[in-house]
Amino acid sequence: RWLIVGALGVEVRPLLWRMRDVQPVNSRVHRGSHPSAPDLEITVLRCGVGPVKAQQRTSDAIRQWRPDAVLSMGTCGALVDSLSIGDVRTVELSFIGADSVPPLTPLPGLEVVSLSTVDEPCWTPERRQELARVGAEIVEMEAAAVARAVREFDPAIPVHAVKIVSDQAGARPDPVIGAGAIPSPLRIARFRFRALKLSHQALVPAVLPVLTQSG
């Protein structure tokens, strides 16, 4: 049994489109099975943005559904120039901000990166450099908090993360989304459309095959 956690509906909806026998439990949780392995149960949690929501809602979901493995899935910003929009990566080393936390378990067949989970988006080159300086290659707002919730419940449950690069995390103005510390409704809409497209075209197709190999 898998628990898959994503922050936004646009990140998890393409997964729900591909699953079998999907049933809503509530506005944040859906349950179904793997499209090619009907006996493999999948619970999908849309946790909301940020580490506080991710940890609390993951903790609640684990206690209710008792998964065998947990996956944090979604978009991220690149902290290094070698990563491009659309790159899919799995995570081993992780940080909360600049503080190292216990590593996650990489999923097989995907390139491995290190990750920093933050409580505010990375908007500026200075913040990007600060996070990269400790060794993080991507930045997002949920994965390490998801892992913390799992470990507090049962350290034996494997925790994974797979992320797709959606932006350059303040390195330069995005030609489509734009730049600035205060996002406009138009920028938010453009980001959500990009996230939906990336998840549908690349992230979910990369995740589904490895779910049957891991846990």
Side-chain angles (χ1 to χ4, degrees), residues 92-150:
E92 184 171 23
L93 298 180
S94 60
F95 306 84
I96 294 182
D99 298 324
S100 179
V101 297
L104 287 77
T105 303
L107 285 175
L110 298 173
E111 292 188 53
V112 178
V113 295
S114 54
L115 168 149
S116 179
T117 293
V118 297
D119 56 10
E120 293 183 358
C122 177
W123 297 113
T124 66
E126 293 77 17
R127 179 60 170 156
R128 185 180 195 254
Q129 292 168 7
E130 178 186 352
L131 294 170
R133 198 173 297 125
V134 300
E137 296 165 272
I138 61 173
V139 59
E140 50 79 83
M141 301 178 68
E142 293 83 29
V146 169
R148 178 181 286 171
V150 176

Side-chain angles (χ1 to χ4, degrees), residues 14-96:
L15 174 62
L16 297 175
W17 292 340
R18 288 171 168 85
M19 287 167 50
R20 299 175 54 154
D21 304 320
V22 176
Q23 298 293 326
V25 176
N26 54 47
S27 62
R28 293 193 174 277
V29 178
H30 288 73
R31 303 195 78 203
S33 60
H34 193 281
S36 62
D39 293 337
L40 186 61
E41 298 176 9
I42 300 175
T43 300
V44 180
L45 167 65
R46 178 177 57 85
C47 68
V49 176
V52 174
K53 292 176 181 177
Q55 182 168 347
Q56 182 58 60
R57 290 169 176 162
T58 299
S59 180
D60 293 343
I62 292 169
R63 282 162 173 76
Q64 182 170 4
W65 303 110
R66 304 296 174 114
D68 300 310
V70 177
L71 170 66
S72 173
M73 183 188 90
T75 57
C76 67
L79 296 174
V80 293
D81 293 338
S82 57
L83 290 171
S84 303
I85 292 174
D87 287 345
V88 177
R89 297 292 187 268
T90 188
V91 177
E92 184 171 23
L93 298 180
S94 60
F95 306 84
I96 294 182

Side-chain angles (χ1 to χ4, degrees), residues 145-164:
V146 169
R148 178 181 286 171
V150 176
R151 288 167 179 143
E152 288 180 353
F153 178 75
D154 183 353
I157 297 176
V159 188
H160 313 272
V162 176
K163 301 289 175 173
I164 188 165

